[in-house]
Amino acid sequence: MFSAPDLPPQEKDIAPLSWSQFNPGDLKQDLITLPLEAGLIEAINLSYTHRGLSIWPFQSESATKTSLPTTLSRSTLLPIGLGVTAVIFGGLKLSNNDFSLGTQLRGLLHAHLLNEIATATAKTTFQRKRPFYDTEVNSGVEPAEDDQFSFFSGHASHAFTFATYTSGLMLKYTNNPLLSWSYTAAAYTTAAWIASTRVNDHAHNVSDIIFGALVGTIISGAVFYRVQQVDSVHKKTDDKDLIFDYQFLPYTFQDNNKRSWYAGMFEIKF
């Protein structure tokens, strides 16, 4: 008596992405969520009330250091960051066919926007004085509103956001462990150096950059993890980034006078 042969294992059906979930890297949802995140940042910066006083646990701090020039301004860091991004993403796209350029770029943008939401919320809520705030007040200088936005450091949070996300990409999509781990070490060392300049410039306290580094790392790591899940679903379901398909259909016809006409139909399917 023969028993039925064992069937080969069947791949489980992959559930499609749901709009009830946060799916960074999914173009359909990104077209909505990315503008919403940018709008929320603008709303936070426009709607807060400048109190002139810090709240707990910073209400009793003294800030008597001297104001110093900024070592690394955002206008200096932004083009450098864009250049490094172009090199990393371009290199990974050329060297690894499994690398989804658009998905990962939007994932990195999500990480920075969500980090900025957290940073702006903390700054406008706590309104912690920068280390030189009392010195300016005592010398008769009218402090800028930004001088009460010390907690936490945006430089630190964004530097560690970038380091975490790009290091994750290098570790996942590079077949050279020495290269990927060398980049990771360099990225976090650079992020720590950027953060330390804010303390040396008397623009932030040490606790500002430590907390900023933690927030940037956590948010970026969480977004990176979710983007890889979304990308995996795209690949298993053959769900491309495009939200529409199109085709061009040429054709010819003759009129009543036997003249030939040439035309075409361009069709877009959403």
Side-chain angles (χ1 to χ4, degrees):
M1 186 174 183
F2 297 97
S3 59
D6 294 333
L7 295 176
Q10 301 294 316
E11 184 176 357
K12 294 182 179 179
D13 292 335
I14 304 299
L17 296 173
S18 171
W19 280 87
S20 63
Q21 298 175 312
F22 179 50
N23 302 317
D26 178 52
L27 181 59
K28 303 179 187 67
Q29 197 180 95
D30 288 342
L31 291 173
I32 297 174
T33 53
L34 286 173
L36 283 176
E37 290 165 9
L40 181 57
I41 293 169
E42 189 66 18
I44 293 171
N45 290 328
L46 291 176
S47 62
Y48 78 93
T49 301
H50 183 236
R51 297 186 304 270
L53 293 173
S54 306
I55 65 172
W56 184 90
F58 309 120
Q59 72 275 21
S60 301
E61 285 185 329
S62 60
T64 57
K65 293 186 177 181
T66 305
S67 177
L68 297 175
T70 300
T71 301
L72 296 170
S73 65
R74 295 198 176 193
S75 60
T76 299
L77 292 172
L78 181 59
I80 296 174
L82 291 175
V84 174
T85 300
V87 171
I88 293 174
F89 281 69
L92 291 176
K93 182 62 177 177
L94 292 173
S95 62
N96 193 324
N97 293 330
D98 200 40
F99 182 73
S100 303
L101 179 61
T103 297
Q104 301 299 341
L105 274 174
R106 294 192 303 276
L108 177 61
L109 183 56
H110 271 295
H112 278 289
L113 288 175
L114 292 173
N115 173 71
E116 182 60 25
I117 289 172
T119 303
T121 300
K123 285 178 177 288
T124 56
T125 299
F126 290 98
Q127 297 190 21
R128 185 184 193 182
K129 297 182 293 187
R130 294 191 185 275
F132 56 78
Y133 185 89
D134 290 341
T135 302
E136 289 188 339
V137 172
N138 294 334
S139 62
V141 177
E142 181 68 23
E145 287 191 18
D146 183 66
D147 291 347
Q148 269 197 274
F149 289 166
S150 180
F151 184 82
F152 45 84
S153 169
H155 277 70
S157 64
H158 281 290
F160 277 86
T161 293
F162 185 83
T164 299
Y165 200 98
T166 55
S167 294
L169 291 177
M170 292 292 289
L171 292 169
K172 181 176 177 64
Y173 293 102
T174 302
N175 295 323
N176 187 332
L178 178 61
L179 175 62
S180 58
W181 282 108
S182 296
Y183 173 81
T184 299
Y188 278 103
T189 300
T190 302
W193 170 65
I194 292 172
S196 69
T197 66
R198 303 300 287 162
V199 175
N200 296 334
D201 294 343
H202 296 170
H204 285 288
N205 301 281
V206 174
S207 56
D208 297 333
I209 67 167
I210 292 176
F211 205 92
L214 289 173
V215 170
T217 300
I218 292 171
I219 290 177
S220 186
V223 172
F224 178 82
Y225 178 76
R226 182 56 184 159
V227 170
Q228 308 322 306
Q229 290 182 321
V230 170
D231 190 39
S232 177
V233 172
H234 281 169
K235 291 168 181 174
K236 290 179 180 178
T237 60
D238 199 29
D239 182 11
K240 305 301 182 184
D241 272 352
L242 291 176
I243 61 174
F244 58 86
D245 192 13
Y246 62 91
Q247 59 180 338
F248 180 75
L249 303 174
Y251 61 91
T252 63
F253 64 93
Q254 288 185 330
D255 60 17
N256 294 332
N257 297 321
K258 303 290 185 178
R259 289 181 300 183
S260 296
W261 295 84
Y262 302 91
M265 181 175 66
F266 189 76
E267 185 181 64
I268 301 178
K269 296 179 180 180
F270 289 93

